Amino acid sequence: MIQNLIIVESPNDAVFIKLILDSLTITNTETVPINPTEIDHLHNFVGTDGEEKRGKDALPEKIEMLKRELLTRYAQLQHISVIVDIDTPKSPNGGKDKSLQLINNSFERAFSVSPNLMEVATHATISTSISGENVTIDVSCFLIQDETGSGNLDILLKKIAIKYCVECDCLEVMNRCVVEKTDKTMLDFTKQWVNYYLRSNASKKQLKNAEKRLHEVITEQGKDIFDLNHSLLGELKSYLQAI
C-alpha cells in the first residue's frame, strides 16, 4: 500500500533520498513513522512515442502515466512529491522559476488542473475525476540546490563527501589546469568527481558494471562516506519529514 510517491531524476537521486529517509526513521532513540513510500526515477524513461527521455524532460509524460495508474497500482496514494535539481537559470528547465513552471505544467497536462506551486516545499491539493471516480491528491516539490541557490545532486554530494579520495584530488589538479588554460572548468567535472568518489568506495563486483551499479555504493556505504548531518541537507530533511 503506497501512500507517498517520490519522483526523482536518476538512480543516484533515488538511493540518496532513500538514504535520507532511512536516516530520519530514528531520532535519538525514538522511532519516527514514515508513511509507506515508493521512490521512482526518470532515468532512461521511454515515452509513449517510443523515445527515450531523461530527468526533467520525462516529467510531463511520467505524470500522465501516473494518472492512468491512480485507480490501480496507486489506489491508496495520498501524496506525490517531485524532487529534481534546480540546476541554473541558463539551463533548460533550470532555475527556480522554470523548474516550478515545468512541475506545474506537467500536472496541468495530466490532470487539467495546475497545483500552482509557487515555492519549494509548499503543498497543494489537486482534484480530478478518473473513470467517474473523484480523486484528490496532495502535491509538493523540492528543488535540490546548494547554498548559492543553484546546483544539482552531484554538487551536493561533492560538498558532503567526507572520505579522502586520491583520484578526486588528481581530478581537482587537472581541473585547475583546464581552468588556467581555457578559463572554463572541465566538462562534467562535478559528475566525474562524484563518479571517482563512488568508484573509490565500490566493491570489485560493483566496478565490473559500474555504469549500472555505482548507485549501490550510496545505498550500502552512504552513511559512512557522506555527512548526513551537513547543514546543506537541513531543508531537504525538513521537507521529507513533512510529507
Side-chain angles (χ1 to χ4, degrees), residues 1-6 35-39 73-79:
M1 181 182 69
I2 303 301
Q3 294 179 350
N4 294 331
L5 174 64
I6 299 176
N35 291 331
T37 298
E38 178 179 303
I39 305 174
R73 181 181 176 186
Y74 296 111
Q76 303 298 318
L77 193 64
Q78 298 176 9
H79 186 99

Side-chain angles (χ1 to χ4, degrees), residues 11-201:
N12 277 2
D13 295 71
V15 295
F16 184 71
I17 295 300
K18 176 67 165 56
L19 182 69
I20 298 299
L21 282 173
D22 289 345
S23 76
L24 290 173
T25 58
I26 299 178
T27 303
N28 296 327
T29 57
E30 298 179 4
T31 300
V32 179
I34 299 291
N35 291 331
T37 298
E38 178 179 303
I39 305 174
D40 198 3
H41 65 76
L42 300 171
H43 190 71
N44 297 340
F45 178 89
V46 179
T48 54
D49 58 2
E51 295 292 325
E52 185 179 287
K53 301 174 177 65
R54 283 192 176 195
K56 289 182 178 179
D57 291 339
L59 186 61
E61 283 199 69
K62 176 62 181 180
I63 300 299
E64 282 192 312
M65 184 179 294
L66 173 61
K67 180 188 175 183
R68 294 194 291 270
E69 298 177 318
L70 279 180
L71 298 182
T72 53
R73 181 181 176 186
Y74 296 111
Q76 303 298 318
L77 193 64
Q78 298 176 9
H79 186 99
I80 301 172
S81 169
V82 177
I83 301 178
V84 294
D85 297 331
I86 195 169
D87 295 317
T88 67
K90 291 183 179 180
S91 59
N93 296 318
K96 177 183 174 182
D97 291 341
K98 286 191 288 185
S99 295
L100 289 173
Q101 183 180 37
L102 172 68
I103 295 167
N104 285 324
N105 289 349
S106 297
F107 279 99
E108 186 169 21
R109 171 175 162 174
F111 292 91
S112 300
V113 58
S114 171
N116 290 318
L117 297 171
M118 304 299 291
E119 292 293 336
V120 175
T122 55
H123 290 233
T125 300
I126 57 173
S127 298
T128 190
S129 179
I130 304 175
S131 300
E133 184 172 334
N134 292 327
V135 176
T136 299
I137 300 274
D138 188 38
V139 173
S140 68
C141 69
F142 189 87
L143 304 179
I144 294 177
Q145 55 191 286
D146 62 14
E147 69 276 12
T148 69
S150 63
N152 52 45
L153 181 67
D154 287 326
I155 290 174
L156 197 65
L157 292 179
K158 184 175 184 293
K159 291 189 174 185
I160 66 171
I162 55 177
K163 289 188 71 175
Y164 175 71
C165 170
V166 64
E167 294 90 348
C168 293
D169 260 8
C170 292
L171 193 66
E172 294 275 10
V173 173
M174 184 175 176
N175 184 56
R176 287 196 294 271
C177 178
V178 171
V179 171
E180 183 179 307
K181 294 181 181 299
T182 68
D183 290 326
K184 296 180 180 179
T185 59
M186 290 172 54
L187 184 64
D188 293 330
F189 164 67
T190 307
K191 183 177 290 295
Q192 289 188 63
W193 194 101
V194 172
N195 280 342
Y196 275 115
Y197 187 68
L198 294 178
R199 282 174 178 271
S200 71
N201 291 284

Side-chain angles (χ1 to χ4, degrees), residues 8-19 39 41 43-44 153-154 157 194-203 205-223 225-226:
V8 298
E9 293 190 55
S10 73
N12 277 2
D13 295 71
V15 295
F16 184 71
I17 295 300
K18 176 67 165 56
L19 182 69
I39 305 174
H41 65 76
H43 190 71
N44 297 340
L153 181 67
D154 287 326
L157 292 179
V194 172
N195 280 342
Y196 275 115
Y197 187 68
L198 294 178
R199 282 174 178 271
S200 71
N201 291 284
S203 66
K205 195 173 184 180
Q206 289 164 338
L207 288 174
K208 286 182 180 179
N209 196 358
E211 184 177 349
K212 293 183 178 180
R213 302 193 63 174
L214 271 186
H215 65 276
E216 294 177 5
V217 179
I218 300 176
T219 298
E220 296 174 8
Q221 299 187 60
K223 61 182 177 61
I225 63 176
F226 295 111

